[in-house]
């Protein structure tokens, strides 16, 4: 099963509904392993003997445990090359790998917008990694969720069904039961989940637009995604709709004036870095985007100016359409003021978005800033 955790933003296409519970067992804590040396095994070197008895672990890993003091022989820390003899009592205390630390519960002040027995809606701050991965095995949203609701350890990825980039702020939904997780994943796959974003981009955008371009790994830089003119091996269809809320021909007070636009984006699909890649592909990279942007902003911003401000879906428990809205985070609100962008327009976008039926009307489970 491909792990959707490989995707950095909203890429749900890799989910395998039949395998939703495949990795739940990884959340269990490893227990000490107690072994005894048989008569015919006496005289063997400890590391080789362990490799024979504990074939489920690699020799490199077993050796590392011995060197770190996690293996004892008769109550004393062991040495890699020491011999074992009949009757020796060997205790192995498995250490977590970096990957396994993803399932460690960590206290965290979670910005919860709504919670019941089936779902949690989180207003993720910029800077918080959603799902553990290379370089970020701890301190993630998943670690915080496991502390907040320990039963999530029984669910794949602690109930997380979609993601936001580390430096993208805004609303996310998390399932609390396997049934709810399956329902939300199916809604994502059916493209019925409503996700709207606010973005500040370079240049002056047209009133409305739709970007329909497959996304895949860049052929020049494998760390980046890219938009392609047509589908090709390794790409997936991707559609982004945008509506211009405000135009600023130049950034007031800046030493190097550049035009910027405030746009509302609506995802039809959810691919890795979709909005960032799509807007860059039409000549309007996100303000502050170090990966896809251009070094031309006279007023540096430490992250991409992207905020998931509205989220709507069918509640897995009640079957009712619910909607949630998020206010601008402080850093974006300050950027709006510096660039003379109307905060009021952003607030209005959270209530109504041209070209789409309103599913975010206040009601049961709704949240307004």
């Amino acid at each position: 099963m491909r792990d959707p955790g490989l995707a950095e933003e909203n890429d749900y296409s890799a989910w395998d509904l039949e395998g939703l519970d495949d990795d739940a067992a990884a959340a269990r804590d490893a227990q000490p392993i107690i072994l005894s040396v048989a008569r015919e095994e006496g005289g063997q070197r400890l590391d080789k003997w362990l490799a024979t008895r504990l074939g489920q672990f690699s020799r490199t890993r077993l050796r590392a445990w011995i060197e770190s003091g996690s293996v004892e022989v008769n109550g004393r820390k062991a040495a890699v090359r020491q011999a074992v003899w009949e009757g020796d009592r060997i205790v192995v205390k498995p250490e977590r790998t970096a990957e396994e630390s993803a399932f460690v519960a960590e206290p965290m002040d979670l910005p919860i917008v709504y919670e019941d027995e089936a779902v949690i809606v989180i207003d993720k701050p910029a800077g918080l990694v959603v799902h553990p991965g290379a370089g970020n095995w701890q301190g993630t949203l998943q670690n915080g969720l496991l502390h907040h609701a320990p039963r999530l350890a029984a669910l794949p990825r602690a109930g997380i069904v979609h993601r936001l980039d580390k430096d993208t702020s805004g609303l996310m939904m998390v399932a609390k039961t396997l049934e709810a997780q399956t329902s939300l994943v199916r809604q994502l796959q059916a493209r019925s989940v409503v996700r709207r974003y606010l973005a500040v981009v370079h240049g002056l955008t047209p009133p409305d637009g739709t970007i329909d371009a497959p996304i895949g790994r860049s052929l020049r830089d494998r760390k980046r995604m890219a938009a392609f003119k047509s589908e090709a091996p390794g790409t997936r269809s991707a559609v982004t709709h945008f509506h211009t809320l405000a135009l600023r021909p130049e950034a007031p007070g800046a030493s190097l004036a550049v035009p910027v636009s405030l746009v509302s984006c609506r995802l039809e699909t959810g691919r890795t870095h979709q909005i960032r890649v799509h807007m860059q592909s039409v000549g309007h990279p996100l303000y502050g985007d170090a990966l896809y942007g251009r070094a031309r902003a006279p007023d540096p911003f430490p992250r991409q100016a992207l905020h998931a401000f509205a989220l709507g879906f069918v509640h897995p428990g009640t079957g009712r359409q619910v909607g949630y809205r998020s206010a601008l985070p402080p850093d974006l609100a300050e950027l709006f003021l510096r660039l003379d962008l109307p905060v009021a327009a952003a607030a209005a976008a959270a209530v109504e978005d041209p070209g789409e039926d309103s599913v975010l009307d206040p009601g049961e489970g709704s949240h307004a800033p």
Side-chain angles (χ1 to χ4, degrees), residues 135-212:
N136 293 287
W137 293 113
Q138 294 178 294
T140 69
L141 175 62
Q142 177 169 303
N143 297 116
L145 286 169
L146 290 170
H147 183 271
H148 172 73
R151 70 178 185 175
L152 293 179
L155 296 180
R157 291 155 293 277
I160 296 170
V161 296
H162 70 127
R163 304 181 61 178
L164 295 177
D165 287 342
K166 174 183 177 181
D167 290 325
T168 297
S169 55
L171 298 171
M172 289 181 53
M173 55 187 178
V174 177
K176 294 181 70 176
T177 68
L178 189 59
E179 293 76 15
Q181 193 169 30
T182 301
S183 172
L184 294 176
V185 169
R186 284 176 173 159
Q187 291 181 55
L188 283 166
Q189 292 177 330
R191 303 184 180 183
S192 61
V193 175
V194 177
R195 290 158 296 159
R196 301 179 192 160
Y197 295 71
L198 287 173
V200 179
V201 302
H202 285 283
L204 302 179
T205 54
D208 296 283
T210 294
I211 306 170
D212 186 348

Side-chain angles (χ1 to χ4, degrees), residues 8 217-218 220-225 272-273 291-292:
E8 294 186 16
R217 288 285 172 190
S218 170
R220 296 181 179 180
D221 183 351
R222 301 301 292 175
K223 295 180 180 180
R224 293 161 55 103
M225 307 301 290
T272 302
H273 300 173
L291 185 60
Y292 298 102

Side-chain angles (χ1 to χ4, degrees), residues 102-366:
F103 293 94
V104 175
E106 297 179 24
M108 188 177 297
D109 184 15
L110 295 178
I112 295 175
V113 171
Y114 176 81
E115 181 177 11
D116 59 23
E117 289 301 308
V119 299
I120 304 174
V121 177
I122 301 284
D123 196 350
K124 187 188 87 68
L128 177 61
V129 175
V130 171
H131 190 278
N136 293 287
W137 293 113
Q138 294 178 294
T140 69
L141 175 62
Q142 177 169 303
N143 297 116
L145 286 169
L146 290 170
H147 183 271
H148 172 73
R151 70 178 185 175
L152 293 179
L155 296 180
R157 291 155 293 277
I160 296 170
V161 296
H162 70 127
R163 304 181 61 178
L164 295 177
D165 287 342
K166 174 183 177 181
D167 290 325
T168 297
S169 55
L171 298 171
M172 289 181 53
M173 55 187 178
V174 177
K176 294 181 70 176
T177 68
L178 189 59
E179 293 76 15
Q181 193 169 30
T182 301
S183 172
L184 294 176
V185 169
R186 284 176 173 159
Q187 291 181 55
L188 283 166
Q189 292 177 330
R191 303 184 180 183
S192 61
V193 175
V194 177
R195 290 158 296 159
R196 301 179 192 160
Y197 295 71
L198 287 173
V200 179
V201 302
H202 285 283
L204 302 179
T205 54
D208 296 283
T210 294
I211 306 170
D212 186 348
I215 288 178
R217 288 285 172 190
S218 170
L219 300 179
R220 296 181 179 180
D221 183 351
R222 301 301 292 175
K223 295 180 180 180
R224 293 161 55 103
M225 307 301 290
F228 292 77
K229 293 182 178 180
S230 59
E231 290 195 29
T235 68
R236 296 193 182 101
S237 62
V239 180
T240 302
H241 306 280
F242 70 87
H243 171 69
T244 299
L245 299 171
L247 299 173
R248 287 294 175 265
E250 61 182 31
S255 58
L256 175 63
V258 296
V260 296
S261 302
L262 173 62
V263 298
S264 169
C265 296
R266 176 168 59 88
L267 293 181
E268 187 172 314
T269 56
R271 308 305 183 208
T272 302
H273 300 173
Q274 179 170 319
I275 292 174
R276 299 165 65 188
V277 171
H278 268 174
M279 296 308 295
Q280 186 272 340
S281 73
V282 295
H284 298 290
L286 269 64
Y287 199 93
D289 194 335
L291 185 60
Y292 298 102
R294 304 172 187 173
R296 60 180 184 177
D299 186 9
F301 191 61
R303 68 176 179 100
Q304 61 265 12
L306 184 62
H307 179 63
F309 72 89
L311 175 68
F313 56 91
V314 174
H315 191 283
T318 66
R320 295 184 59 184
Q321 183 78 47
V322 294
Y324 305 89
R325 297 187 291 276
S326 168
L328 278 179
D331 63 340
L332 272 183
E334 182 181 351
L335 178 66
F336 276 38
L337 292 176
R338 295 203 305 266
L339 298 180
D340 194 28
L341 290 170
V343 176
V351 178
E352 183 176 2
D353 193 8
E356 182 177 344
D357 294 336
S358 175
V359 297
L360 294 167
D361 296 330
E364 181 179 346
S366 295

